[in-house]
């Protein structure tokens, strides 16, 4: 993408890039003739689309690391499920099983629990009021 | 008002240059690879990964350095077939010394491929993310000198098209089918796409021959595309079966 100062008929130059940390991006562009500055603001989906391509608006400041997209974006590290816990989860009706699994997963993740066991499920159920799950 | 292509001042973002650098990295990494072969069918369940892994092992046993790139990012099976699960520094080394890279190396056991990012309308960026992962598998692995790099493609054409874009040219294609007319019809579309993109058709492997699956898919496709049937793989192939196929590649 490029920006044109219509009044001056001048291509605007990239100024700075800001990543507020909420998935959005702000990039400023300045007209070299009149000094007018505009900001391009992208929503999280647009920002993600650009970063998915492995490119950076404003140019790269550091060289690409090996597997940087895969390592930075693939979801890993969720808690493991013990065999007993998996068996118990399998008895949850299939239409809510995914939601229940996520609830227990989030519970474990929030508390730094690396393996979900039936005991962890019991504790979570009591704390979260999930009787029957 | 001037249009995009009329604005020619240098662009600090240099997005085109960044893409060019990505391509250069892939080309440099693959400089020692004598031949890239995409194993494809356009159809699921015909045994592409099984054929890929076993051909790779046969080539390795014949003292030809070989690598396998598992391009089935959502259903990686190569680590299991080559008996390598995790590796800190790809490529992993599988059975018979086959080098391999797979999304399976990055995922937790049994976990589906999921990316961080906004969940709403994730289809908008997920395809780009998968293509970038494929590019990293090609360009960030120290493949070294290989006689053949086999690319195990998932069903469908999307990954093949991404591959052509990333490589900048169309790789040679080894086609896998089962004997049935349903498979023939699906594989025909994939072969036609491969021809349209300029791929060399190396030949056809007919898998799962001799039992329930009846038909003449391999012969039909071979005749239609003027390409050889390289092998007919029975339900219980021997190492010699794979060696014979490897010798024809």
């Amino acid at each position: 993408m490029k920006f044109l100062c219509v009044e001056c008929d001048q291509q605007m130059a990239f100024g700075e890039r800001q990543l507020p940390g909420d998935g959005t991006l702000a990039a400023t562009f300045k007209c070299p003739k009149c000094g007018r500055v505009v900001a391009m603001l992208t929503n999280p989906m647009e920002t993600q689309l650009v970063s998915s391509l492995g490119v950076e608006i404003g140019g790269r400041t550091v060289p690409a690391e090996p597997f940087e997209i895969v390592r930075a974006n693939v979801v890993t590290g969720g808690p493991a499920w013990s065999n007993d816990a998996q068996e118990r989860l399998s008895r949850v009706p299939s239409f809510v099983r995914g939601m229940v699994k996520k609830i227990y997963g989030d519970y474990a993740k929030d508390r730094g629990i690396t393996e979900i066991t039936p005991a962890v499920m019991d504790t979570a159920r009591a704390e979260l009021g999930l009787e029957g799950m | 008002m001037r249009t995009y292509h009329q604005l020619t001042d240098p662009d600090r973002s240099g997005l085109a240059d960044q893409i060019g650098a990505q391509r250069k990295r892939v080309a440099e990494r693959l400089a020692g690879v004598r031949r890239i072969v995409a194993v494809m069918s356009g159809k699921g369940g015909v045994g592409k990964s099984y054929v890929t892994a076993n051909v790779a092992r046969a080539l390795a046993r014949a003292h030809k350095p070989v690598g396998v790139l598992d391009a089935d990012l959502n259903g990686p099976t190569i680590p299991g077939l080559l008996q390598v699960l995790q590796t800190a520094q790809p490529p992993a080394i599988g059975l018979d010394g086959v080098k391999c890279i797979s999304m399976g190396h990055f995922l937790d056991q049994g976990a589906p491929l999921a990316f961080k990012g906004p969940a709403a309308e994730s289809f908008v960026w997920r395809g780009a993310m998968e293509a970038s992962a494929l590019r990293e598998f090609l360009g960030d692995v120290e493949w070294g000198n290989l006689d053949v790099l086999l690319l195990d493609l998932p069903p469908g054409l999307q990954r093949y098209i991404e591959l052509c874009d990333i490589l900048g040219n169309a790789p040679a294609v080894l086609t896998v089918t089962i004997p049935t007319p349903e498979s023939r019809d699906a594989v025909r579309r994939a072969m036609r796409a491969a021809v349209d993109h300029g791929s060399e058709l190396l030949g056809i492997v007919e898998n799962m021959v001799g039992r329930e699956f009846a038909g003449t898919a391999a012969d039909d496709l071979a005749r239609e595309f003027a390409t050889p049937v390289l092998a007919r793989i029975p339900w219980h192939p021997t190492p010699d079966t794979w060696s014979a196929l490897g010798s024809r590649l």
Side-chain angles (χ1 to χ4, degrees):
Chain A
M1 65 193 69
K2 298 172 183 177
F3 291 85
L4 175 70
C5 179
V6 176
E7 198 168 300
C8 303
D9 193 31
Q10 284 283 319
Q11 181 175 339
M12 301 180 87
F14 175 81
E16 64 171 331
R17 178 184 60 216
Q18 292 180 1
L19 297 167
D22 59 358
T24 66
L25 176 145
T28 61
F29 294 81
K30 184 177 183 180
C31 174
K33 188 172 179 183
C34 70
R36 183 192 304 267
V37 176
V38 298
M40 177 187 73
L41 309 176
T42 64
N43 66 31
M45 186 175 65
E46 294 161 339
T47 309
Q48 180 78 353
L49 177 57
V50 172
S51 65
S52 298
L53 298 171
V55 298
E56 292 188 9
I57 290 176
R60 274 195 168 273
T61 52
V62 292
E65 292 288 323
F67 304 107
E68 68 174 18
I69 288 183
V70 171
R71 292 195 198 282
N73 292 286
V74 170
V75 174
T76 58
W81 284 73
S82 72
N83 290 338
D84 289 345
Q86 285 188 50
E87 194 281 325
R88 189 156 141 187
L89 184 68
S90 71
R91 284 185 263 132
V92 175
S94 59
F95 65 95
V96 291
R97 193 177 301 146
M99 182 185 71
V100 171
K101 186 175 183 183
K102 186 173 187 316
I103 290 170
Y104 284 124
D106 289 346
Y107 173 87
K109 194 173 175 183
D110 290 345
R111 289 157 181 78
I113 297 168
T114 56
E115 184 179 37
I116 297 174
T117 62
V120 171
M121 295 172 82
D122 287 339
T123 306
R125 199 170 57 177
E127 286 186 18
L128 302 176
L130 303 174
E131 291 307 317
M133 299 174 97
Chain B
M1 187 166 67
R2 289 189 290 166
T3 60
Y4 181 91
H5 291 293
Q6 292 169 325
L7 301 185
T8 55
D9 289 353
D11 168 20
R12 206 179 105 186
S13 291
L15 297 183
D17 291 341
Q18 291 187 52
I19 297 290
Q22 292 174 353
R23 286 196 169 196
K24 184 165 176 259
R25 187 179 176 94
V26 170
E28 287 173 352
R29 279 282 195 235
L30 298 177
V33 177
R34 189 177 71 82
R35 190 157 60 150
I36 297 172
V37 175
V39 182
M40 69 185 292
S41 73
K43 185 183 183 311
V46 299
K48 289 179 295 299
S49 301
Y50 180 69
V51 168
T52 303
N54 282 287
V55 169
R57 292 184 61 189
L59 291 169
R61 286 195 298 270
H63 307 293
K64 293 184 176 177
V66 57
V68 174
L69 188 156
D70 187 352
D72 192 344
L73 306 178
N74 290 284
T77 51
I78 290 296
L81 289 164
L82 293 177
Q83 295 184 16
V84 285
L85 293 178
Q86 297 289 337
T87 181
Q89 186 62 44
I93 306 298
L95 292 171
D96 297 309
V98 176
K99 293 180 178 178
C100 70
I101 177 73
S102 171
M103 188 56 83
H105 297 144
F106 296 91
L107 298 174
D108 293 333
Q109 186 70 22
L113 174 59
F115 293 108
K116 298 168 190 169
E121 275 78 49
S122 64
F123 61 86
V124 171
W125 53 264
R126 188 178 165 105
M129 191 70 84
E130 291 189 6
S132 287
L134 178 64
R135 175 177 51 73
E136 289 191 339
F137 283 7
L138 287 162
D140 288 348
V141 175
E142 294 187 21
W143 292 109
N145 293 321
L146 295 181
D147 190 63
V148 184
L149 176 61
L150 296 168
L151 308 176
D152 179 29
L153 300 187
L157 294 172
Q158 183 64 29
R159 198 58 36 82
Y160 167 77
I161 293 167
E162 291 165 359
L163 188 60
C164 292
D165 286 342
I166 293 167
L167 292 174
N169 54 52
V173 165
L174 176 65
T175 311
V176 181
T177 185
I178 57 175
T180 66
E182 294 79 12
S183 178
R184 177 198 61 204
D185 294 345
V187 173
R188 175 186 289 125
R189 296 181 198 280
M191 294 180 76
R192 195 160 289 166
V195 169
D196 289 346
H197 279 78
S199 282
E200 174 194 3
L201 298 180
L202 297 178
I204 299 164
V205 175
E206 193 170 54
N207 195 23
M208 306 182 200
V209 172
R211 284 197 182 172
E212 288 81 359
F213 295 134
T216 56
D219 288 330
D220 295 347
L221 293 167
R223 201 163 38 247
E224 187 173 337
F225 289 92
T227 192
V229 178
L230 296 176
R232 299 182 202 275
I233 309 295
W235 281 82
H236 297 290
T238 65
D240 287 345
T241 310
W242 301 113
S243 297
L245 172 56
S247 69
R248 298 194 68 187
L249 286 181

